[in-house]
Amino acid sequence: GMRGATVVVSDSSATAADVQRIVGGSRPEKKIVLLALNYRYRQLRREEAVARLAEVSNLDPSKPLILHVGSNHARKNRLGVIRSFARASAQADLQLVLAGMALSPELRDVARAEGIADRVTVVVKPSNEVLEALYSLALALLFPSRYEGFGWPLIEAQACGCPVISSRCAPFAEVVGAGAIMRDADDEQGFADDILRLARDAAERRRWSEAGLRNAERFDPALMIARYLEVYREVAERR
């Protein structure tokens, strides 16, 4: 299908490189249109965020939380999330919220072995409203993926003023700009250090929150739609 296309639009340069690897050659033409937020995420007042999360069991709004949004797929690196959090929580009173897919038995065993099972809350398939509240309350989004096509939670978190700590996964630099703390996916001690720095330094937290909010402004749906319309017009004119 891609080889028969005039133009293939990808949501990041990393995905465009995948397209090139699959189809080879100079055709079809490759264009990049970054995704936009598909929900109007915004930074909530603490009182509103806490009220939205009243039904989430085991969550303590008074305790700083680290958030991960995703699944148990190996590329999402939830194993690294759990181990990095365990290192940080040995030195600070923190909780970990895993939003998305239910935690696998294997990863539950890891959390128990690390001694943090009682600090982990899993929120299965949260609504946009619940996610918005989690982002707004979180000390940071920890997102150490090994592979992504784009990485939507990065800009969702930034739009809510949540500092982002991420891996250097191929598309992330293009997506987060200068608005996130980045490390190699396997640097679990480094991620733990970043968590502790944000937990202990309000000014540092505020700096990354503001940088993320500025970056998230790039992902307005109207801008994405306008860019797609440009591509459609170019293709139509050729025909």
Side-chain angles (χ1 to χ4, degrees):
M2 288 192 290
R3 290 192 179 100
T6 303
V7 173
V8 172
V9 180
S10 300
D11 59 11
S12 69
S13 297
T15 302
D18 285 340
V19 171
Q20 179 62 36
R21 174 175 53 80
I22 292 166
V23 302
S26 59
R27 292 189 58 82
E29 184 179 352
K30 290 85 173 173
K31 290 184 179 290
I32 298 166
V33 179
L34 297 177
L35 293 176
L37 290 161
N38 65 349
Y39 174 83
R40 294 286 185 175
Y41 285 96
R42 62 188 175 86
Q43 191 171 24
L44 302 178
R45 291 181 296 105
R46 180 175 179 81
E47 296 76 13
E48 183 178 356
V50 169
R52 286 192 191 182
L53 298 173
E55 300 304 315
V56 178
S57 59
N58 301 323
L59 184 67
D60 182 356
S62 68
K63 184 184 294 187
L65 71 90
I66 302 301
L67 177 64
H68 178 261
V69 179
S71 69
N72 298 318
H73 296 304
R75 69 184 180 88
K76 295 290 187 179
N77 197 18
R78 265 188 170 178
L79 177 62
V81 170
I82 291 170
R83 294 200 298 214
S84 297
F85 174 81
R87 289 173 184 249
S89 64
Q91 300 182 56
D93 189 15
L94 305 167
Q95 59 185 323
L96 175 63
V97 176
L98 301 171
M101 186 183 289
L103 200 60
S104 68
E106 295 79 9
L107 288 175
R108 286 193 180 279
D109 288 344
V110 173
R112 280 192 289 269
E114 294 284 351
I116 60 165
D118 61 336
R119 297 188 178 207
V120 177
T121 297
V122 180
V123 184
V124 179
K125 295 182 180 178
S127 65
N128 286 320
E129 292 77 13
V130 168
L131 262 183
E132 187 173 42
L134 288 170
Y135 287 133
S136 295
L137 276 186
L139 181 71
L141 173 73
L142 180 57
F143 205 67
S145 294
R146 299 184 183 283
Y147 179 85
E148 297 280 351
F150 180 83
W152 235 328
L154 299 171
I155 58 172
E156 293 172 352
Q158 288 183 330
C160 296
C162 177
V164 170
I165 304 170
S166 80
S167 63
R168 293 191 178 97
C169 181
F172 288 178
E174 185 173 26
V175 174
V176 301
I181 303 167
M182 305 183 77
R183 291 185 178 272
D184 293 338
D186 291 316
D187 189 359
E188 294 172 2
Q189 184 59 57
F191 288 132
D193 292 341
D194 293 333
I195 290 169
L196 290 170
R197 189 167 70 254
L198 291 175
R200 293 166 175 168
D201 189 337
E204 182 80 352
R205 213 162 49 242
R206 187 165 52 252
R207 181 166 75 88
W208 287 108
S209 173
E210 292 170 354
L213 284 166
R214 288 193 298 272
N215 183 67
E217 293 174 359
R218 298 192 292 136
F219 299 95
D220 188 307
L223 298 176
M224 181 187 72
I225 291 168
R227 183 69 186 106
Y228 268 108
L229 288 174
E230 288 178 13
V231 175
Y232 294 158
R233 289 190 185 101
E234 288 176 18
V235 174
E237 288 169 2
R238 294 177 193 179
R239 293 181 64 84

